[in-house]
Amino acid sequence: MSEVTRRPATGPAAASPGEVPTIWTTGWTDIFNTGTWRAATPIHEWRSSPCHTDCPIGNTIPGWIANIREGAYQEAWLALVETNPFPAVTGRVCHHPCEGHCNREVIETVVGINGLEHFLGDRALEEGWALPAPVGSQGKRVAVVGGGPAGLSCAYHLRRLGYDVTVFEARDELGGLLRYGIPEYRLAAGVVDAEIARLLDLGIEVRLGAPVADAAELEALEAEYDAVFLGVGAQQAKMLAHLEDGAGAGRVLDGLEYLRRCTEGVARDLGERMTVIGGGSAAMDVARSARRLGHTVSVVALESRATMPAQPEEIEQALEEGVALFDGAMVAAVEAGADGGLMLNCVKVTLDLGAPAGELRPVPVEGGEFALAADVIVTAIGQDPDLAAFGDGLAVERALLLTEPTTLATSRAGVFAGGDVASVDRFVSEAIGAGRRAAYSIAEYLNHPDACIPERPKLEDSVNRTEVNPFYFETTERRERVVAPAAERLTGFDETISAYSTEDATAEAGRCMSCGFCVQCDNCFVFCPDMAVQKDASAAGAESAAPSASEGAPATAPPAGVRVTAAVPCVGAPPDSGPFYFVLDQYCKGCGLCVTECPRGAVRLEQVNL
Amino acid sequence: MHTYELDEQKVFNSGHNACPGCGEALAVRYVLNTMGPNTIGVIPPSCIAIISGPQPYSSMRIPVYQTTLEASAASAAGISRALKRQGKHDVNVLALAGDGGTYDIGFQALSGAAERNEDMVYVCLDNEGYMNTGAQKSSSTPYLAVTSSTPGGKPSDKKDIAEIMAAHRIPYVATATVGYPDDLARKVAKARDMKGMRFIVVLTPCLDGWGVADDGAVRVSRLAVDTGFFPLYEVEDGERYTINHGPKGIPVERYLEQQKRYRHLDEDQVKEIQAGVDHRWSLLQARVESMAGQARIR
Amino acid sequence: MSATVATPRRSPPANQAPAPGDLRLLLSGNHAVSYGAMRARPEVVPIYPITPQTPIAEKISDLQLAGDFDVDLMTAESEHSAMSACITASLTGVRVFTATASQGLFLMHEMLHYASGARAPIVMVNVNRTIGSPWGFWPDQTDSLAQRDTGWIQYYTENGQESLDTVIQAFKVAEEVLLPAMVVHEAFYVSHALEPVTVPSQERVDAYLPRFDPPHKLDTEIGESWGNVVNQDMFYRHRKDLGAAMNQVLEASVRADADYKDAMGRGYGILEKYRTEDADMLIVAFGAMVGSARVAVDMLRAAGKAVGLLKIKLFRPFPVEAVRAAVAGVPRLVVMERNFSPGGGGVLHQELKAALYGMPDPPAVHGYLAGVGGVNVSPKKIVELAEKALTDEPVPDSVWQR
Ligand SMILES: Cc1cc2nc3c(=O)[nH]c(=O)nc-3n(C[C@H](O)[C@H](O)[C@H](O)COP(=O)(O)OP(=O)(O)OC[C@H]3O[C@@H](n4cnc5c(N)ncnc54)[C@H](O)[C@@H]3O)c2cc1C
Ligand SMILES: Cc1ncc(C[n+]2csc(CCOP(=O)(O)OP(=O)(O)O)c2C)c(N)n1
Ligand code: SF4
Ligand code: SF4
Ligand code: SF4
Ligand SMILES: [Mg+2]
């Protein structure tokens, strides 16, 4: 906006000195202080969106989605890898809790965040984009034990913070369950390889086939390195003893073992009929892998279909692929079958709602007995960490390494842990997020000058559905990724889901309302009847920040200051394209129009304390 | 995602004394900042006369003359004629009057100026009542709305000023509101760049007079449009109709319930208002259709 | 104060030879006004017709059509709008003229205050006409006298020549003091009576009346606004300033008239004494009555009666000092006037008494309501009334006479 200035006229209408002329104006109202009328003050701030809050990694989702919208894909990806070094992986396998409370639901349905992440992840691999180089060197060394997502995420962030990192991996290859657990048709090995290779390009030392096997070796690491991160995962499958007795002996396999054999191509000669026990992702992976290898597969799960931990689409696809599901049921006993196979005596169950959290207590339903014939049983009912090797030196609780929730510090100073080894939230994104948080925590422990630990915002503080203004968004159908038809899927282990096309990604990104994340739409500025919302001069470029008052009038109030909520206000914080708007105290009457008309809850009204 | 791109010139100033969240102040912002500094304004007694500032200060960086309640159009005509005599053909003349000063007491001057096709942009800031004098009814007050002079609800309908002005066959008539600022600004810019009599009626919620929340002016004015209560349209030369924003299938009740002046309505009255809205909308559509493609006859 | 009083003479200079460039035309009073307006070169004339003003508007239209009068004639839809447009056009910085009568003037009433409040130097001719109801078309000064508090300068003229000359002078005074001015003449007796009139040449008028260029105006280059709300103190001072400007009018009018006389050879003063030497009584009149009174005075003098005439030309501001000087030593005055303020009487009668209040040895004052409603008051009738006034004892109230 350009200022209009005038020459004052002189003539007989001018009053005598010291007197206000009674006719013809001499100046403008911007000398008045209408801000004193205010009972509440609008504050522009970067507020957490529910998707950001729900993302275990802390991805600044609305930020990079905005970049996608603008077609700035590399920028988007760079914003994403600020938190998550594995977007191609999570874009495929993340359980995407970020979509759980997405505010877009007020318009029609949640945004396909996971699909967008997938799109960016693949685009980066196609383009061969490199991760940002480390900033300086802290001259300190950190040992990371375990080369799964938790360990690699931790290594990545530590490296970027300027630490020398060595990863110790027991196996011959990095990746943990990404490589040995999740089947190829969901996550191709090539994707895992490529994202890991790119990460290692930052200059991370790797020791393969190098298990940290006992307490002594851990102590040696502690001595040699300034800090240690344990991301060894949960490798010990839980077993069901009552199935392995008698007829079942030798015919019960654990799911991890089965999947590992699949990846190695040696899973076939187990007999025709397979029963998988379990209701989670692992059970689905076993069942669907087995279908691809020609087995007839039934799944027996304690939970009802609706409450099974597996993702609904996984169950859906398993059924499409011909898996028979017996939900709300359990295998009570195993007998030898007439055909040389096994006869599984099953019963329908309900779950005791009074059971302690995390524990399943099945109650058989009377008359719910049925039988299944099988040649092999695969159990996929979870794993526990193998903590015995580390001896008594580390505190353990409920079969997990005990860590302090914020710092992820174990009971031993300088030793941190995260991922499956320390958490019941067994998800790739949880592991990556834990690795990230641990890296900042380690940095803080090592007195990094700017690092602090990213807080996880709370849902109640995040922008909620009443704070977005639906007027500004048009109903637009959600784009879905294309899933190959079941028949095609069953022909092998090729990936079954294709990433968004650029067009789909752009359209889907267009659906994101950018909750709490100012996109400089100018609404707050446009709708202020008092012209009290101003744009920051430096951000806005040439224009001046405050209106220059009329001659002789006091200068307008300085910018009230931009407050940014502490989502991650430290190294590793999202690039703060942030609000460059501010409110002029002198004029704002506190009506709240800017707050209401901000489409995305990026302005908040705070009561003035009088 | 919707964003507004307004090309604003800084003509309207902060520090004015409109109520917090005032819809009229917002409208004036868009109008003045679109008209630009090369404009002379005329304002009759109304809320905007107060908003324009106490002597010796003005909230408007243009020369403004405050005239009498019934004279806005005539006063504006005097300026525009004088400007022509001075050879200042590029200076815009803008009348900013309330609904009382337009629909009622100032109507004669307005109609006369329209008939003479006086060169001005006349903007009626329609807050549907005499708000400056304490929210009495005007002929713009809608059916059944409570005002301080119709405590039981106004028994007669709102006058259709846009149609009346269109019937003068002036170059430009438009309806607009603050909930659609880009539409409003576009119309003002379009009017500004034309010659002759241009008339825009802008629905500007009066928070106090209507009983609307401080942050509600934009929401309410938008609902007025989206429920079909106040469709946004333009008429060129009295015959070329363009509807810009019509009802979006939202019941008028959503609009009424935002305002205390309608709080007394019973179900049947709401239905009656809805029927009126539907009827007027169908009439407008019929007019658009019947006028479509007609050549201009002078 | 001598300059305020014009040299006594019998009648308007009817047979005066025109100066080079001047026109000598047979014109009605109204058409004379149109010519006067033309010479003053107003840029905008917002106008609305009403009998008996219409010939003014019509003649301006004709002159405009003929290409003699380059003006924007705004055919307003009412006098209220006409005056509204006058004010803003004037404030925009151009010269403005208009004309009206009776009901039209009343419809303007609100805007008359706005005009003076805005210090807009508009010149308007009002043709006095009876005010409704009932409906009538007769000469009667009540319409303009009812506007005496509106802050307008008021001149009352007795014939077309004077009206023409006064229009031009009025611009000069109005633009100097920044107040609007009304030039008033009566219906039919003046407005429609044909007389030979001298129309001064454009060059001479241009030399007399420079371009209007006010320091304050509605101008986007200046950016000042006019009329925002004031506080009590500002309003008080504003009114006081307006009063001061009004007071300036006395001197400015005298000067404008003297300059006019120098330039055009005609002058009127702000009042006129006619055959007042050694008078036992003066007839005090304004407007058309003055012409008849002049003849009556001649008749009275011929009959040996020492009666003179005092013509009040400038009525607002009321020239108190000049009037007092003019009547000093005269034992008796008789006001004859064609207007009536119910409950008050003759307006000039009241004004005159107020002006003389506190004067040493004040004259006795008769107030005669003669000619109200346009009733003919012939010179013979005036003689009759004067003789009555010479013998009757004056009473405080105005007395109906016919
Ligand atoms: C079949 C299956 C499917 C799954 N599908 C999904 C899914 O779709 N989405 C999802 O979000 N999650 C899924 N999960 C869970 C997810 O894979 C894990 O939560 C995640 O991989 C945990 O990461 P981590 O780094 O903690 O452990 P891991 O991935 O287990 O990695 C631990 C690494 O440490 C190494 N290691 C172990 N002990 C030592 C030692 N002493 N010294 C050195 N190295 C050691 C291991 O070899 C391994 O490489 C699935 C899990 C399974 C089993
Ligand atoms: C001739 C005249 N009558 C009455 C008034 C008192 N008056 C001042 S503002 C106003 C109401 C004007 O209403 P509107 O034009 O709708 O403007 P608003 O106050 O609603 O903005 C009235 C009646 C006046 N100023 N002049
Ligand atoms: S709309 Fe966008 S920012 Fe808002 S919750 Fe959904 S994905 Fe996140
Ligand atoms: S819209 Fe303007 S006045 Fe109202 S709260 Fe926001 S900044 Fe303040
Ligand atoms: S209204 Fe727009 S510009 Fe203002 S804070 Fe919200 S998103 Fe940012
Ligand atoms: Mg109003």
Side-chain angles (χ1 to χ4, degrees):
Chain A
M1 298 219 298
S2 57
E3 190 85 8
V4 181
T5 50
R6 307 287 186 199
R7 79 172 159 85
T10 49
S16 39
E19 281 189 326
V20 174
T22 62
I23 64 173
W24 299 104
T25 55
T26 59
W28 289 286
T29 52
D30 52 16
I31 58 155
F32 292 120
N33 202 342
T34 54
T36 55
W37 306 9
R38 191 170 61 232
T41 304
I43 292 163
H44 285 77
E45 54 185 20
W46 188 70
R47 291 180 62 207
S48 183
S49 53
C51 56
H52 169 73
T53 300
D54 287 340
C55 172
I57 309 178
N59 289 341
T60 54
I61 293 160
W64 50 259
I65 292 187
N67 296 139
I68 299 180
R69 225 170 14 239
E70 291 149 13
Y73 305 120
Q74 191 169 9
E75 233 176 276
W77 179 78
L78 286 170
L80 176 50
V81 298
E82 279 303 307
T83 47
N84 176 14
F86 289 114
V89 168
T90 49
R92 285 167 168 78
V93 303
C94 180
H95 64 308
H96 49 74
C98 54
E99 295 181 23
H101 299 99
C102 171
N103 287 331
R104 184 77 200 188
E105 193 102 56
V106 288
I107 313 296
E108 54 324 72
T109 185
V110 299
V111 173
I113 304 169
N114 191 232
L116 290 169
E117 191 172 36
H118 186 173
F119 168 79
L120 280 186
D122 282 13
R123 179 60 69 101
L125 294 178
E126 279 160 30
E127 302 282 343
W129 292 330
L131 293 164
V135 186
S137 170
Q138 295 299 314
K140 289 185 176 151
R141 305 170 67 212
V142 181
V144 169
V145 183
L152 291 175
S153 165
C154 187
Y156 166 72
H157 287 287
L158 284 167
R159 185 70 200 114
R160 287 199 52 194
L161 284 163
Y163 296 98
D164 294 327
V165 183
T166 309
V167 176
F168 295 84
E169 167 56 51
R171 298 191 195 237
D172 297 336
E173 282 186 276
L174 292 173
L177 289 174
L178 302 182
R179 186 179 302 282
Y180 296 107
I182 302 172
E184 285 239 21
Y185 63 86
R186 291 208 291 125
L187 176 59
V191 172
V192 178
D193 291 343
E195 290 211 312
I196 291 176
R198 185 176 63 197
L199 192 152
L200 298 181
D201 285 347
L202 293 180
I204 292 168
E205 193 188 339
V206 177
R207 309 250 177 99
L208 295 175
V212 178
D214 52 36
E217 286 190 22
L218 178 59
E219 272 165 37
L221 287 185
E222 288 178 87
E224 191 181 343
Y225 293 86
D226 297 293
V228 178
F229 175 74
L230 297 177
V232 295
Q235 314 292 337
Q236 264 182 349
K238 292 185 195 166
M239 297 306 286
L240 293 169
H242 70 286
L243 303 183
E244 294 186 62
D245 299 342
R251 302 185 104 163
V252 181
L253 211 60
D254 84 75
L256 273 189
E257 174 61 15
Y258 177 76
L259 289 169
R260 193 183 53 73
R261 287 201 208 173
C262 286
T263 51
E264 286 162 5
V266 291
R268 187 63 188 83
D269 54 343
L270 294 165
E272 161 73 21
R273 301 162 299 175
M274 178 188 291
T275 292
V276 182
I277 296 176
S281 286
M284 293 304 124
D285 284 346
V286 169
R288 296 174 65 195
S289 294
R291 285 293 298 134
R292 280 164 176 72
L293 293 172
H295 293 281
T296 319
V297 184
S298 49
V299 171
V300 179
L302 286 176
E303 303 92 343
S304 67
R305 181 172 168 185
T307 56
M308 278 164 61
Q311 296 298 302
E313 56 268 29
E314 284 182 283
I315 302 173
E316 176 86 41
Q317 289 173 14
L319 294 174
E320 283 171 10
E321 289 166 11
V323 171
L325 173 64
F326 299 90
D327 61 334
M330 68 177 204
V331 180
V334 180
E335 292 171 19
D339 53 2
L342 299 170
M343 178 59 69
L344 312 188
N345 293 325
C346 305
V347 62
K348 284 279 189 190
V349 295
T350 54
L351 291 176
D352 179 1
L353 297 175
E359 194 180 312
L360 296 180
R361 227 180 253 162
V363 183
V365 174
E366 216 166 309
E369 295 80 7
F370 64 99
L372 285 177
D375 297 314
V376 60
I377 298 172
V378 181
T379 55
I381 56 166
Q383 305 96 32
D384 287 326
D386 185 0
L387 299 171
F390 300 118
D392 303 336
L394 288 163
V396 172
E397 194 178 79
R398 290 214 209 149
L400 298 173
L401 266 188
L402 182 66
T403 52
E404 202 282 319
T406 311
T407 61
L408 301 190
T410 64
S411 57
R412 273 166 97 114
V415 179
F416 299 77
D420 283 3
V421 71
S423 166
V424 289
D425 295 325
R426 300 282 166 83
F427 296 106
V428 173
S429 52
E430 289 287 354
I432 296 172
R436 171 169 178 257
R437 274 199 311 287
Y440 285 96
S441 175
I442 289 167
E444 194 177 64
Y445 170 76
L446 297 177
N447 300 318
H448 189 288
D450 330 293
C452 65
I453 306 166
E455 270 172 45
R456 288 191 75 163
K458 294 193 188 79
L459 200 56
E460 58 265 33
D461 298 333
S462 310
V463 175
N464 67 42
R465 283 165 198 210
T466 65
E467 291 174 290
V468 295
N469 191 329
F471 173 82
Y472 296 103
F473 307 99
E474 269 169 42
T475 303
T476 315
E477 208 180 315
R478 172 180 155 122
R479 301 286 171 126
E480 299 293 353
R481 282 173 279 184
V482 179
V483 180
E488 198 180 301
R489 296 202 296 264
L490 286 171
T491 59
F493 278 77
D494 287 346
E495 283 194 345
T496 60
I497 184 162
S498 350
Y500 282 141
S501 65
T502 303
E503 194 239 309
D504 283 341
T506 310
E508 195 54 23
R511 295 179 66 244
C512 170
M513 305 187 290
S514 198
C515 308
F517 192 88
C518 173
V519 299
Q520 296 155 20
C521 72
D522 267 7
N523 266 19
C524 51
F525 171 79
V526 162
F527 284 113
C528 177
D530 292 280
M531 284 72 63
V533 177
Q534 296 288 312
K535 298 192 216 184
D536 178 77
S538 53
E543 283 164 334
S544 78
S548 55
S550 47
E551 267 174 80
T556 45
V562 179
R563 283 210 252 155
V564 181
T565 33
V568 226
C570 49
V571 170
D576 186 12
S577 72
F580 62 64
Y581 298 83
F582 60 89
V583 171
L584 293 173
D585 276 347
Q586 184 177 346
Y587 303 128
C588 168
K589 295 172 186 162
C591 66
L593 260 175
C594 53
V595 175
T596 301
E597 297 310 322
C598 173
R600 47 194 52 86
V603 197
R604 197 169 52 78
L605 207 57
E606 196 171 79
Q607 294 306 307
V608 170
N609 285 326
L610 298 170
Chain B
M1 192 156 30
H2 198 294
T3 53
Y4 297 108
E5 270 167 36
L6 302 181
D7 179 19
E8 287 197 301
Q9 318 224 38
K10 196 177 156 24
V11 175
F12 191 39
N13 272 255
S14 299
H16 61 72
N17 47 13
C19 304
C22 173
E24 191 155 306
L26 207 45
V28 169
R29 169 180 174 171
Y30 306 136
V31 171
L32 288 181
N33 290 355
T34 305
M35 288 300 292
N38 201 25
T39 302
I40 299 180
V42 168
I43 292 177
S46 56
C47 291
I48 198 61
I50 301 299
I51 296 169
S52 74
Q55 176 68 15
Y57 302 108
S58 174
S59 62
M60 305 173 183
R61 283 173 190 256
I62 53 168
V64 172
Y65 174 68
Q66 292 216 9
T67 188
T68 54
L69 193 48
E70 52 289 55
S72 308
S75 297
I79 295 171
S80 98
R81 284 170 181 265
L83 288 170
K84 303 282 178 304
R85 295 295 296 184
Q86 291 169 328
K88 297 177 181 171
H89 296 276
D90 61 327
V91 177
N92 313 305
V93 178
L94 170 72
L96 275 179
D99 48 294
T102 301
Y103 289 64
D104 292 342
I105 192 167
F107 183 70
Q108 173 181 306
L110 173 62
S111 178
E115 180 276 327
R116 295 188 302 272
N117 199 23
E118 297 282 0
D119 191 23
M120 72 178 76
V121 176
Y122 187 110
V123 173
C124 171
L125 300 165
D126 187 354
N127 54 22
E128 301 188 327
Y130 300 158
M131 298 317 182
N132 190 44
T133 41
Q136 295 85 6
K137 73 136 237 198
S138 76
S139 60
S140 163
T141 304
Y143 181 49
L144 294 180
V146 162
T147 68
S148 64
S149 57
T150 55
K154 187 187 175 223
S156 54
D157 258 329
K158 180 182 169 94
K159 206 191 251 184
D160 195 342
I161 197 75
E163 285 311 307
I164 296 168
M165 293 314 292
H168 285 75
R169 300 166 64 82
I170 54 177
Y172 189 64
V173 171
T175 66
T177 190
V178 290
Y180 286 84
D182 44 356
D183 176 81
L184 168 52
R186 180 186 63 76
K187 285 169 176 168
V188 173
K190 182 169 174 178
R192 179 196 60 203
D193 298 340
M194 294 169 91
K195 285 282 167 213
M197 185 76 182
R198 295 90 90 195
F199 177 85
I200 305 176
V201 55
V202 184
L203 186 71
T204 57
C206 170
L207 306 180
D208 203 45
W210 296 14
V212 167
D214 276 6
D215 68 343
V218 171
R219 176 174 61 239
V220 166
S221 76
R222 216 169 250 160
L223 277 167
V225 176
D226 297 354
T227 59
F229 194 91
F230 190 84
L232 303 185
Y233 66 103
E234 340 172 43
V235 190
E236 282 161 89
D237 298 323
E239 32 192 76
R240 288 194 305 283
Y241 278 70
T242 311
I243 296 182
N244 315 110
H245 296 278
K248 299 194 173 132
I250 302 172
V252 75
E253 197 174 353
R254 294 288 90 74
Y255 171 61
L256 305 176
E257 72 195 7
Q258 296 273 333
Q259 311 171 46
K260 290 195 187 132
R261 62 177 174 158
Y262 291 116
R263 210 167 32 184
H264 62 294
L265 297 182
D266 62 30
E267 219 172 285
D268 288 344
Q269 289 173 315
V270 171
K271 277 192 196 135
E272 207 186 337
I273 292 175
Q274 180 70 60
V277 165
D278 295 346
H279 181 62
R280 283 193 300 277
W281 172 239
S282 65
L283 287 182
L284 177 61
Q285 282 175 305
R287 223 155 24 232
V288 175
E289 273 155 37
S290 72
M291 296 284 193
Q294 292 212 357
R296 174 140 206 239
I297 303 155
R298 263 274 177 207
Chain C
M1 263 301 163
S2 60
T4 64
V5 181
T7 329
R9 53 182 162 68
R10 278 195 66 84
S11 60
N15 300 314
Q16 187 188 302
D22 289 6
L23 298 172
R24 189 75 179 149
L25 302 171
L26 185 66
L27 295 176
S28 70
N30 275 354
H31 285 179
V33 161
S34 308
Y35 277 91
M38 177 178 81
R39 286 294 186 250
R41 292 188 194 265
E43 301 285 347
V44 182
V45 175
I47 201 158
Y48 189 84
I50 181 168
T51 305
Q53 157 264 30
T54 33
I56 299 177
E58 287 161 5
K59 192 68 190 174
I60 291 175
S61 304
D62 291 346
L63 291 169
Q64 184 200 36
L65 189 66
D68 295 331
F69 192 173
D70 177 17
V71 68
D72 181 357
L73 196 64
M74 170 176 161
T75 55
E77 82 298 331
S78 75
E79 285 88 355
H80 194 281
S81 286
M83 183 45 62
S84 301
C86 284
I87 296 166
T88 45
S90 175
L91 288 184
T92 306
V94 301
R95 186 167 291 153
V96 178
F97 174 80
T98 189
T100 190
S102 85
Q103 305 308 129
L105 186 64
F106 282 111
L107 187 54
M108 283 182 182
H109 178 79
E110 182 194 31
M111 299 316 296
L112 298 183
H113 286 278
Y114 262 66
S116 61
R119 308 293 299 270
I122 301 156
V123 171
M124 172 166 70
V125 167
N126 181 65
V127 186
N128 286 136
R129 172 187 146 183
T130 50
I131 48 175
S133 69
W135 211 21
F137 308 91
W138 319 120
D140 188 309
Q141 299 164 310
T142 312
D143 59 354
S144 56
L145 290 171
Q147 313 306 326
R148 63 185 163 169
D149 299 334
T150 57
W152 283 60
I153 300 164
Q154 286 196 350
Y155 292 106
Y156 287 78
T157 62
E158 60 176 292
N159 59 44
Q161 182 70 58
E162 189 184 4
S163 295
L164 182 154
D165 293 330
T166 307
V167 163
I168 296 167
Q169 288 189 21
F171 275 114
K172 181 107 171 171
V173 175
E175 290 171 9
E176 181 184 331
V177 302
L178 292 174
L179 282 176
M182 209 181 285
V183 177
V184 184
H185 69 204
E186 271 156 85
F188 307 115
Y189 292 137
V190 180
S191 68
H192 286 62
L194 286 171
E195 282 185 57
V197 171
T198 299
V199 180
S201 72
Q202 191 65 58
E203 294 68 41
R204 291 212 286 163
V205 176
D206 286 350
Y208 173 78
L209 187 62
R211 255 191 82 244
F212 174 50
D213 185 21
H216 292 267
K217 56 187 161 197
L218 297 169
D219 184 329
T220 54
E221 293 299 313
I222 300 173
E224 295 175 326
S225 292
W226 164 245
N228 283 1
V229 285
V230 292
N231 61 22
Q232 292 156 316
D233 171 65
M234 284 186 237
F235 195 80
Y236 174 92
R237 286 193 283 116
H238 180 58
R239 295 296 282 180
K240 203 169 146 221
D241 288 350
L242 206 151
M246 240 337 160
N247 292 340
Q248 252 179 280
V249 171
L250 295 165
E251 195 270 320
S253 279
V254 169
R255 193 161 19 84
D257 184 64
D259 292 349
Y260 194 85
K261 190 171 184 203
D262 285 350
M264 319 289 177
R266 286 180 303 279
Y268 304 88
I270 57 175
L271 46 71
E272 179 192 331
K273 293 197 290 184
Y274 182 68
R275 301 188 76 171
T276 56
E277 61 284 356
D278 308 321
D280 292 329
M281 185 176 79
L282 297 184
I283 300 170
V284 184
F286 62 158
M289 188 91 75
V290 173
S292 307
R294 213 176 253 121
V295 177
V297 165
D298 289 349
M299 290 161 72
L300 285 160
R301 285 281 181 179
K305 305 238 163 71
V307 175
L309 168 66
L310 178 63
K311 165 187 173 181
I312 307 289
K313 174 177 173 136
L314 181 66
F315 181 77
R316 269 291 174 276
F318 197 79
V320 175
E321 292 304 329
V323 167
R324 286 185 178 212
V327 303
V330 180
R332 192 170 278 247
L333 305 176
V334 57
V335 179
M336 297 189 199
E337 55 185 325
R338 186 174 266 132
N339 67 76
F340 175 57
S341 163
V347 174
L348 182 56
H349 183 207
Q350 301 166 47
E351 293 269 347
L352 189 65
K353 284 191 291 181
L356 302 184
Y357 180 77
M359 182 185 170
D361 299 324
V365 183
H366 286 282
Y368 286 176
L369 297 167
V372 171
V375 167
N376 188 25
V377 184
S378 63
K380 211 175 125 235
K381 182 75 193 171
I382 294 175
V383 169
E384 205 179 286
L385 291 175
E387 283 170 345
K388 185 172 153 54
L390 280 168
T391 52
D392 282 0
E393 261 321 291
V395 292
D397 289 342
S398 305
V399 182
W400 290 90
Q401 301 287 3
R402 87 165 286 189

